[in-house]
C-alpha cells in the first residue's frame, strides 16, 4: 500500500534580496496511513516551510525548487493550483500555531466553517451547518449550536484552536499538518488538545504531521520522529528509539534541554550557540559551530547514515555508545 | 447598544451646543451687517428702527438666547438679503450639494476600490505603479485647476459634457434632483468627478495598504489552507477586513466634501449651498451664515454617529465592547 505522504529530497528556497535562503534543503520522510510523524527542531529550522510546501502555500519570494511530494502516490510538487485547492482543507488540512490569528475576526464561526464544507462539496447551507455543528461537538466545544453564531473573539485561545481543529476535521482528511498547534496555549489545555487530536486522528485513520520544537510533546504522541536542523533532517527513526538512544549530537542536545527529562536540581543543558544564518552556511556539517564532537572530518557534508534498524543520523561521530542514565 | 447610542446622542447634543456658541460669537465678531444692510443715507431714527427690527440692539448673550429659542422651533432667522427664512434658503440649495457630494463619494468608491485592490494584490506590476503615481496627482493637483481642465477638454474641445449648471431635474420627495434625468447626469458627471479626485486617491491608498496588510495575516493563509477559491479569499476574507477603514474614512470625508464643495460649485456654477455661502459671506448675511454653519455642524455630528454605527455593524469586536 502506498504511504499517505512521501516527501523525497524536498527543497524550498526563498529568493530574497540578501540572497537565497535554503529554508528546506533536501528533506525526506514518509508518513504511513494513520501514523503520526513528529517534526522537531529549534525555531527557524524549516519545519513550517516544510508544512507549507506540502500544501502548496509557500509565500513569495519562496518556492519549491526541487524534490517530490508524493501524496498517496501523486506528486504535488507538479500539481496545478486548482488541483491543490481541491486537496487543501479537504484531503490535506493544516492547523496553525497561533489560534488568536487563524480565524478571520470579522466572520462568524459558522461562516468560516460552512464555506469550508461548501468549498469541496455541493451541499446546501443547512447540511453544511449541521456538519459544522457536529464537528464542533466532536472537538469538545459545549453547546455548538450557539457557538456557531459567535465571532472568534468570543472564544478563548484554547477554544479557538478547537474551532481550527474542527475546521481541519470537516472533510475527514487523509493528512493533517499541525504546526505547533499547542505552543501558544497553556499547559493543561495543551494536554487536552493533544489527547483530543490523537483520539480523533486514530478514529478517522488520519495521518498526522505534528510540528513542534518540544520533544516532550512528541514522546507520547508520535510513531516516528524527524529532527530538523538548518533546513535538513539530521536524525529520524521510531520515536522511542530516537528519544531513548539519540544518535545525533543535536538530538542529544534537544533532549537535554527538555525540562521533564532532567533530574531535579540538575541544570538544564541548553545547546550552546544559535542556529546559523541560512544565508551563509559554512561548508560541511551545519551543526559544527555548536557541536562538542566536531573535528576536521565534519568539514565534509555528512550523509544521513542508517546506523541502527530504522534510525538514521547525519553525523560522522554519532552517539553510538549508550548514554549514561 | 441602546446605552451606547444614548450616550453618543447626548455627546452629540453637547457638541452642538458648544458649536452653536462658537459659531454665533465667531460670526458676530466678523463684522457689523448694519453697515452693509442699511443705506448710508438713512437718518438716525430709521437706523435704530432697522437695528431693533433685526434684533441687533440686544446684548450678544440675549441675541444668542433668542437665536436658541427660535432655533429650537426650527427657525434659524431670516436672511437679511432675501428676507426669507435662512433655513429655507439653505434647504432649497441642499439637494444640489448633496447629490454632488454623494455622486463624488460613489465615484470615489467605484473607481478607487478596484484600483486599490489591484494595486494591493499585484504591487510590483507596471499597472499598479501607474495607479499609485496617479493617486499622487489626485492628492496634489488643485481642485479648481483640474475643474477648469475638465471643462476645457470635455466641454470646450470635445463637447461631450456640459460645463455649467444642474441641467434637467426631476422631482423626488418634493425636491429637484439632477441624477434622475439623463441630461442631469451628464451635468453632474464632471463636477462630481472633480470633487471626487482627492477621495479617489484616498480610497486607492487605503485599499492598497489594507489589502497588502491583510494578505499577510494568518487568517488569510488559513482561509487558503481550507481550500477556498482565490475569489472567496479576496472578496470575503480580505475585503471584509479592509472595508472597515475604507468605510470609516470615506464616511467621515462626506462632511468635508459637503463643506468644501464650495470650489467645485463655483467652477461649475453648480447652484448648491457652497455657492450660497460664498455669496452670503460677501454681504454679511448673518442668519444665513449661522444657519449654514449650524447645518454643517449638525451634518458632521450625524455623519460621525452613522459611521460609528456602521463601523460596529462591520466589526463585531466593536459591537461587543459597546455592549459590555
Ligand atoms: N517569507 C520568507 N522570506 C524569507 N525567508 C523565509 C521566509 N519564511 C521563512 N523563511 C526562512 O525559512 C527559515 C525556516 O523558517 P520556518 O520554517 O518558519 O522555521 P520553523 O522551523 O521555526 O517553523 C527561517 O529561518 C527563515 O530564514
Ligand atoms: S558531523 Fe561532526 S559537527 Fe556535525 S553533528 Fe556530527 S560530530 Fe557534530
Ligand atoms: Mg514554525
Amino acid at each position: 500500500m502506498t504511504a499517505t505522504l512521501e516527501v523525497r529530497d524536498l527543497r524550498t528556497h526563498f529568493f530574497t534580496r540578501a540572497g537565497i535562503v535554503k529554508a528546506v534543503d533536501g528533506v525526506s520522510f514518509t508518513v504511513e496511513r494513520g501514523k503520526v510523524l513528529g517534526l522537531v527542531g529549534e525555531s527557524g529550522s524549516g519545519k513550517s516551510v516544510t508544512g507549507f510546501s506540502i500544501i502548496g502555500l509557500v509565500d513569495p519570494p519562496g518556492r519549491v525548487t526541487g524534490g517530490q511530494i508524493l501524496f498517496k502516490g501523486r506528486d504535488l510538487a507538479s500539481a496545478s493550483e486548482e488541483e491543490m485547492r481541491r486537496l487543501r482543507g479537504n484531503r490535506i488540512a493544516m492547523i496553525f500555531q497561533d489560534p488568536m490569528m487563524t480565524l478571520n475576526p470579522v466572520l462568524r464561526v459558522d461562516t468560516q466553517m460552512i464555506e469550508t464544507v461548501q468549498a469541496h462539496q455541493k451541499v446546501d447551507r443547512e447540511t453544511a451547518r449541521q456538519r459544522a455543528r457536529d464537528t464542533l461537538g466532536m472537538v469538545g466545544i459545549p453547546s455548538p449550536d450557539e457557538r456557531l453564531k459567535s465571532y472568534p473573539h468570543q472564544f478563548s485561545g484554547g477554544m479557538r484552536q478547537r474551532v481550527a481543529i474542527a475546521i481541519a476535521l470537516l472533510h475527514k482528511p487523509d493528512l493533517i499538518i499541525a504546526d505547533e498547534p499547542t505552543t501558544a496555549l497553556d499547559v493543561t489545555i495543551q494536554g487536552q488538545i493533544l489527547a483530543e487530536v490523537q483520539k480523533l486522528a486514530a478514529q478517522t485513520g488520519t495521518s498526522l504531521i505534528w510540528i513542534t520544537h518540544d520533544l516532550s510533546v512528541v514522546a507520547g504522541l508520535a510513531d516516528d520522529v524527524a529532527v530538523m536542523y538548518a533546513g535538513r533532517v539530521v536524525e529520524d527513526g521510531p520515536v522511542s528509539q530516537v528519544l531513548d538512544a539519540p544518535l545525533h549530537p543535536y538530538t542529544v542536545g534537544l533532549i537535554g534541554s527538555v525540562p521533564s527529562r532532567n533530574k531535579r536540581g540538575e541544570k538544564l543543558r541548553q545547546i550552546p550557540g544559535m542556529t546559523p544564518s541560512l544565508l551563509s552556511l559554512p561548508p560541511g556539517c551545519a551543526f559544527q559551530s555548536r557541536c562538542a564532537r566536531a573535528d576536521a572530518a565534519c568539514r565534509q557534508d555528512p550523509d544521513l547514515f542508517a546506523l541502527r534498524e530504522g534510525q538514521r543520523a547525519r553525523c560522522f561521530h554519532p552517539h553510538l555508545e549508550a548514554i549514561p542514565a | 447598544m441602546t446605552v451606547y447610542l444614548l450616550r453618543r446622542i447626548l455627546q452629540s447634543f453637547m457638541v452642538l451646543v458648544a458649536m452653536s456658541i462658537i459659531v454665533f460669537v465667531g460670526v458676530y465678531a466678523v463684522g457689523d451687517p448694519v453697515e452693509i444692510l442699511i443705506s448710508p443715507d438713512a437718518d438716525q431714527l430709521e437706523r435704530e428702527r432697522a437695528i431693533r427690527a433685526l434684533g441687533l440692539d440686544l446684548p450678544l448673550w440675549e441675541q444668542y438666547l433668542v437665536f436658541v429659542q427660535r432655533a429650537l422651533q426650527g427657525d434659524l432667522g431670516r436672511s437679511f438679503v432675501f428676507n426669507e427664512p435662512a433655513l429655507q434658503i439653505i434647504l432649497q440649495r441642499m439637494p444640489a450639494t448633496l447629490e454632488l457630494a454623494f455622486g463624488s463619494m460613489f465615484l470615489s468608491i467605484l473607481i478607487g476600490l478596484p484600483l486599490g485592490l489591484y494595486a494591493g494584490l499585484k504591487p510590483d506590476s507596471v499597472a499598479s505603479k501607474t495607479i499609485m503615481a496617479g493617486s499622487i496627482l489626485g492628492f496634489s493637483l488643485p481642485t479648481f485647476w483640474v475643474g477648469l481642465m475638465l471643462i476645457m477638454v470635455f466641454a470646450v474641445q470635445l463637447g461631450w459634457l456640459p460645463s455649467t449648471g444642474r441641467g434637467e431635474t426631476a422631482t423626488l420627495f418634493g425636491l429637484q434632483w439632477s441624477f434622475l434625468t439623463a441630461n442631469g447626469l451628464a451635468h453632474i458627471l464632471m463636477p462630481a468627478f472633480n470633487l471626487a479626485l482627492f477621495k479617489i486617491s484616498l480610497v486607492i491608498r487605503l485599499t492598497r495598504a489594507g489589502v497588502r496588510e491583510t494578505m499577510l495575516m494568518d487568517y488569510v493563509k488559513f482561509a487558503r489552507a481550507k481550500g477556498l477559491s482565490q475569489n472567496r479569499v479576496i472578496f470575503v476574507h480580505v475585503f471584509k477586513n479592509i472595508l472597515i477603514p475604507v468605510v470609516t474614512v470615506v464616511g467621515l470625508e462626506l462632511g468635508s466634501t459637503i463643506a468644501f464643495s464650495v470650489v467645485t460649485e463655483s467652477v461649475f456654477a453648480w447652484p448648491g449651498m457652497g455657492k450660497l455661502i460664498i455669496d452670503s459671506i460677501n454681504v454679511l448675511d448673518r442668519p444665513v451664515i449661522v444657519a449654514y454653519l449650524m447645518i454643517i455642524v449638525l451634518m458632521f455630528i450625524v455623519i460621525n454617529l452613522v459611521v460609528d454605527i456602521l463601523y460596529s455593524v462591520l466589526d463585531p469586536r466593536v459591537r461587543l465592547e459597546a455592549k459590555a
Side-chain angles (χ1 to χ4, degrees):
Chain A
M1 213 175 100
T2 53
T4 302
L5 183 74
E6 196 181 340
V7 174
R8 285 189 196 152
D9 199 29
L10 175 68
R11 285 164 206 273
T12 304
H13 297 175
F14 288 85
F15 298 85
T16 67
R17 290 222 179 112
I20 299 174
V21 178
K22 297 178 178 175
V24 176
D25 198 27
V27 163
S28 305
F29 55 77
T30 302
V31 192
E32 302 288 349
R33 192 182 130 77
K35 297 287 185 192
V36 180
L37 171 76
L39 199 56
V40 188
E42 285 173 314
S43 169
S45 54
K47 309 179 300 288
S48 298
V49 172
T50 303
F52 287 125
S53 302
I54 295 168
I55 58 168
L57 286 182
V58 178
D59 288 320
R63 76 189 138 81
V64 175
T65 56
Q68 288 176 306
I69 303 163
L70 298 171
F71 177 69
K72 297 201 284 188
R74 169 92 179 91
D75 186 11
L76 303 185
S78 58
S80 71
E81 171 54 28
E82 175 57 20
E83 190 180 346
M84 285 311 292
R85 188 199 66 73
R86 273 187 264 124
L87 284 176
R88 283 199 286 264
N90 182 9
R91 303 327 315 147
I92 307 176
M94 190 151 174
I95 307 167
F96 291 9
Q97 175 164 356
D98 187 354
M100 307 308 270
M101 305 298 292
T102 40
L103 299 175
N104 193 320
V106 301
L107 297 176
R108 277 187 353 194
V109 166
D110 56 357
T111 313
Q112 302 193 47
M113 295 191 79
I114 289 168
E115 68 180 0
T116 314
V117 176
Q118 291 184 327
H120 302 291
Q121 278 175 9
K122 282 199 164 38
V123 293
D124 60 62
R125 233 188 112 76
E126 185 47 33
T127 315
R129 207 192 63 83
Q130 280 170 14
R131 172 104 66 87
R133 181 199 56 202
D134 295 345
T135 319
L136 274 190
M138 218 164 77
V139 298
I141 289 186
S143 47
D145 264 313
E146 274 165 50
R147 298 309 264 159
L148 267 181
K149 295 196 201 86
S150 308
Y151 284 90
H153 67 265
Q154 293 165 298
F155 290 80
S156 67
M159 281 296 158
R160 283 195 218 189
Q161 198 59 298
R162 282 171 196 268
V163 173
I165 291 167
I167 290 175
L169 288 171
L170 278 172
H171 292 279
K172 297 195 170 54
D174 300 308
L175 175 67
I176 295 178
I177 302 165
D179 189 357
E180 312 210 28
T182 58
T183 306
L185 306 174
D186 67 54
V187 180
T188 38
I189 296 173
Q190 267 189 35
Q192 287 170 9
I193 288 194
L194 220 61
E196 202 89 50
V197 172
Q198 196 172 16
K199 189 185 80 192
L200 293 169
Q203 276 172 5
T204 51
T206 301
S207 306
L208 265 180
I209 296 178
W210 195 278
I211 297 176
T212 177
H213 62 269
D214 183 356
L215 268 175
S216 62
V217 168
V218 159
L221 176 72
D223 299 293
D224 297 298
V225 59
V227 181
M228 280 188 76
Y229 186 77
R232 291 181 164 189
V233 173
V234 292
E235 174 158 10
D236 63 9
V239 73
S240 55
Q241 237 169 288
V242 173
L243 291 188
D244 291 343
L247 290 165
H248 198 283
Y250 177 63
T251 317
V252 173
L254 275 183
I255 292 173
S257 64
V258 171
S260 58
R261 293 210 148 221
N262 279 263
K263 299 202 182 73
R264 276 172 78 101
E266 202 177 318
K267 249 178 69 182
L268 281 187
R269 287 163 299 173
Q270 288 295 335
I271 309 172
M274 284 189 358
T275 320
S277 161
L278 294 176
L279 277 170
S280 55
L281 277 183
C285 176
F287 192 54
Q288 58 184 302
S289 61
R290 305 168 69 185
C291 182
R293 298 185 159 215
D295 64 11
C298 305
R299 273 175 235 145
Q300 300 292 311
D301 225 346
D303 281 330
L304 204 50
F305 303 110
L307 297 167
R308 295 202 189 104
E309 178 67 36
Q311 191 178 2
R312 300 182 299 175
R314 193 183 289 279
C315 177
F316 294 117
H317 311 295
H319 288 261
L320 282 168
E321 71 284 1
I323 293 194
Chain B
M1 191 76 194
T2 341
V3 176
Y4 169 74
L5 259 181
L6 279 177
R7 207 172 53 209
R8 281 304 314 266
I9 289 171
L10 191 71
Q11 278 173 359
S12 306
F13 179 74
M14 287 183 324
V15 170
L16 196 62
V17 171
M19 284 309 297
S20 73
I21 294 175
I22 294 172
V23 163
F24 203 80
V25 174
V27 169
Y28 193 85
V30 165
D32 190 352
V34 173
E35 305 305 326
I36 293 175
L37 289 173
I38 299 168
S39 79
D41 320 329
D43 63 23
Q44 197 59 22
L45 217 63
E46 275 178 58
R47 271 179 76 91
E48 266 163 31
R49 197 169 337 113
I51 288 174
R52 208 165 312 127
L54 295 172
L56 295 173
D57 56 334
L58 301 171
L60 181 58
W61 64 272
E62 265 185 59
Q63 285 189 37
Y64 176 72
L65 285 186
V66 170
F67 164 75
V68 170
Q69 199 183 17
R70 293 203 182 136
L72 288 177
Q73 293 155 10
D75 174 10
L76 290 176
R78 288 181 89 80
S79 161
F80 299 154
V81 178
F82 300 96
N83 198 24
E84 273 175 52
L87 192 62
Q88 189 186 319
I89 296 174
I90 292 168
L91 289 183
Q92 274 167 4
R93 314 283 177 106
M94 204 184 220
T97 297
L98 279 185
E99 76 177 332
L100 188 60
F102 277 105
S104 87
M105 232 169 62
F106 177 73
L107 278 183
S108 67
I109 299 236
L110 191 76
I111 300 171
L113 216 51
L115 290 182
L117 194 62
Y118 182 86
L121 290 175
K122 297 200 156 96
D124 296 321
S125 72
V126 177
S128 297
K129 289 186 176 147
T130 314
I131 291 170
M132 295 322 288
S135 79
I136 293 174
L137 284 185
F139 275 131
S140 44
L141 293 179
T143 308
F144 76 91
W145 184 83
V146 176
L148 292 176
M149 283 299 138
L150 287 173
I151 291 177
M152 283 272 289
V153 174
F154 293 103
V156 178
Q157 288 183 349
L158 297 171
W160 290 352
L161 292 168
S163 64
T164 56
R166 289 184 76 182
E168 277 172 36
T169 56
T171 312
L172 181 69
F173 306 126
L175 296 167
Q176 298 298 311
W177 303 95
S178 294
F179 75 94
L180 294 173
T181 70
N183 178 274
L185 268 181
H187 276 83
I188 200 173
L189 192 59
M190 264 203 299
F193 179 75
N194 184 222
L195 193 56
L197 216 56
F198 180 85
K199 279 188 299 301
I200 294 173
S201 302
L202 194 66
V203 172
I204 288 177
R205 301 215 145 230
L206 274 174
T207 309
R208 186 184 99 115
V211 169
R212 297 204 62 188
E213 191 187 314
T214 310
M215 287 302 282
L216 297 177
M217 303 301 275
D218 265 6
Y219 58 76
V220 170
K221 203 164 197 186
F222 189 65
R224 298 176 67 198
K226 295 195 298 189
L228 303 185
S229 66
Q230 185 75 353
N231 276 347
R232 171 113 194 149
V233 172
I234 290 170
F235 291 106
V236 177
H237 284 258
V238 175
F239 218 62
K240 243 198 138 180
N241 277 282
I242 58 166
L243 223 48
I244 295 169
V246 172
V247 164
T248 312
V249 173
V250 171
L252 291 174
E253 275 288 306
L254 176 64
S256 42
T257 307
I258 292 173
F260 302 115
S261 63
V262 176
V263 176
T264 298
E265 288 188 10
S266 302
V267 172
F268 291 90
W270 189 262
M273 298 190 297
K275 208 165 168 315
L276 173 71
I277 189 65
I278 291 287
D279 297 343
S280 302
I281 289 171
N282 278 335
V283 295
L284 278 184
D285 193 347
R286 211 187 264 176
V288 175
I289 301 174
V290 171
Y292 173 83
L293 290 176
M294 288 315 295
I295 285 175
I296 294 285
V297 168
L298 192 66
M299 211 155 56
F300 268 94
I301 288 173
V302 171
I303 288 169
N304 276 321
L305 197 63
V306 170
V307 167
D308 270 5
I309 292 169
L310 262 184
Y311 195 90
S312 73
V313 171
L314 286 174
D315 192 337
R317 286 163 297 188
V318 179
R319 215 176 305 162
L320 190 82
E321 273 158 33
K323 245 186 250 166

